[in-house]
Amino acid sequence: MTVPCLVLLHSPLDTPRRWESVAEELRRRGGRALRAEVTDDDQPPYAARYVARASLEIANAAPEPPLVLVADGAAGPLVPHVGAAQRAAHRHVSGYLLVDALLPQPGTPTREELLAAQDPDGDDRSGAERPRPREFFTDPLPMVQDWPDAPCGYLATVPSSTPCARLARLRGWSVSEGADGSDPAVLARELEELAAGL
């Protein structure tokens, strides 16, 4: 069986740097990893710009399928659309992993509404490396249809992700909680284990 390439999608609230050492660790362990870097999604439509750039980054790198898309934080609600772009390009997506992320949900058009539905006490804006204006959180997200189209997993590394991890578990996803999100070796191991279980 071919080892899937883990495509690391950083949160639009953070810089691509978050996944740099994790990608290196995955490669050191003999895995395949690709880091998509999105830095030009700084004006509306934010979500569409992120999806377009991430998809272009993947296309330019031309990783050999199968792919597992790994969405961190605020990239979680966008992962179905990055996956759809891969399918349109005939690149097989064998799974999705969400890390401390809100879950994609049909009929919820903004990040603010997703946060209210999935974690009413949460604040998706705290600690952002890339501060965003209010319209980022009220920017309409693309509609989610026919997703998930592959198995999914959820990795919760911070206590604030517990409500979303609970929702992922209710959806029947593989869930891992309590990993040290600041340690690249731990993150790499957890991602490999979840990917292997998809």
Coordinates of all heavy atoms in Angstrom, one line a residue, residues 6 9 15 20 25 38 61 104 129 132 139 162 193:
L6 N 0.9 13.6 3.4 CA 0.1 14.4 4.3 C 0.3 15.9 3.8 O 1.4 16.4 3.8 CB 0.6 14.3 5.7 CG 0.5 12.9 6.3 CD1 0.8 12.9 7.8 CD2 -0.9 12.3 6.2
L9 N -2.2 22.0 5.8 CA -2.8 23.3 5.5 C -2.9 24.1 6.7 O -3.6 23.8 7.7 CB -4.3 23.0 5.0 CG -4.4 22.1 3.7 CD1 -5.8 21.7 3.5 CD2 -3.8 22.9 2.5
T15 N 0.7 31.8 10.4 CA 1.6 31.8 9.3 C 1.9 30.3 8.9 O 1.7 29.4 9.7 CB 2.9 32.5 9.6 OG1 3.6 31.8 10.7 CG2 2.7 33.9 10.1
E20 N 6.2 23.9 9.4 CA 7.5 23.6 8.8 C 8.2 22.5 9.5 O 8.7 21.5 8.9 CB 8.3 24.9 8.9 CG 9.6 24.9 8.2 CD 10.3 26.2 8.1 OE1 9.7 27.2 8.5 OE2 11.5 26.2 7.7
E25 N 9.8 16.7 10.3 CA 9.8 15.5 11.2 C 9.1 14.3 10.5 O 9.5 13.2 10.5 CB 9.0 15.8 12.5 CG 8.9 14.7 13.4 CD 10.3 14.2 14.0 OE1 11.3 15.0 13.9 OE2 10.3 13.0 14.4
V38 N -0.1 29.7 2.2 CA -1.1 30.7 1.7 C -0.9 32.0 2.5 O -1.1 32.1 3.7 CB -2.6 30.2 2.0 CG1 -3.6 31.2 1.5 CG2 -2.8 28.8 1.3
A61 N 3.2 21.6 -6.6 CA 4.1 20.5 -6.0 C 3.8 19.2 -6.6 O 4.7 18.3 -6.6 CB 3.8 20.5 -4.5
P104 N -16.3 21.4 9.2 CA -17.1 21.8 8.1 C -18.6 21.4 8.4 O -18.8 20.3 9.0 CB -16.6 21.1 6.9 CG -15.2 20.7 7.3 CD -15.2 20.5 8.7
E129 N -1.6 34.7 14.9 CA -0.4 35.3 14.4 C -0.7 36.3 13.3 O 0.0 37.3 13.1 CB 0.5 34.3 13.8 CG 1.1 33.3 14.8 CD 2.0 32.3 14.2 OE1 2.3 32.4 12.9 OE2 2.4 31.4 14.9
R132 N -7.0 39.3 11.9 CA -8.0 39.5 10.8 C -9.1 40.5 11.2 O -9.5 40.5 12.4 CB -8.6 38.2 10.4 CG -7.6 37.2 9.9 CD -6.8 37.6 8.7 NE -6.1 36.6 8.1 CZ -6.1 36.2 6.9 NH1 -6.9 36.8 6.0 NH2 -5.4 35.2 6.4
D139 N -17.2 36.6 6.6 CA -17.1 36.3 5.2 C -17.8 35.0 4.9 O -17.6 34.0 5.6 CB -15.6 36.1 4.9 CG -15.3 35.8 3.4 OD1 -15.9 36.4 2.6 OD2 -14.4 34.9 3.2
T162 N -12.0 20.6 22.7 CA -12.8 19.5 23.2 C -14.2 19.5 22.6 O -14.6 18.4 22.2 CB -12.8 19.6 24.8 OG1 -11.4 19.5 25.2 CG2 -13.6 18.4 25.3
E193 N -0.3 8.3 13.0 CA -1.2 7.2 13.6 C -2.7 7.4 13.1 O -3.3 6.5 12.8 CB -1.1 7.3 15.1 CG 0.2 6.7 15.6 CD 0.4 6.8 17.1 OE1 -0.6 7.2 17.8 OE2 1.5 6.4 17.6

